[in-house]
Amino acid sequence: MVILNRLLTWDRLLAFAISIDTCCFFCMDSIERLDHIFFECSFSRKVW
Ligand SMILES: [Zn+2]
């Protein structure tokens, strides 16, 4: 799912016109995108 970019991140849900808060659930500091979750998020970086 990650390779195909099919995870339901906030930025993808927003593309379906679903009105939501797009902030990252973990760090509340950036828009939740696939590359943010796996590579940029400060919380994920601590976990990895
Ligand atoms: Zn984050």
Side-chain angles (χ1 to χ4, degrees):
M1 296 300 278
V2 171
I3 292 170
L4 298 174
N5 194 23
R6 303 294 289 176
L7 291 181
L8 290 178
T9 54
W10 292 136
D11 66 326
R12 290 197 64 235
L13 291 174
L14 197 61
F16 297 121
I18 297 173
S19 180
I20 48 171
D21 181 13
T22 57
C23 249
C24 173
F25 178 78
F26 299 112
C27 69
M28 301 292 179
D29 193 36
S30 180
I31 295 173
E32 186 183 279
R33 291 172 282 110
L34 192 64
D35 55 339
H36 171 78
I37 292 173
F38 285 96
F39 303 111
E40 298 171 355
C41 182
S42 58
F43 179 84
S44 298
R45 199 173 295 150
K46 289 177 187 173
V47 172
W48 292 112

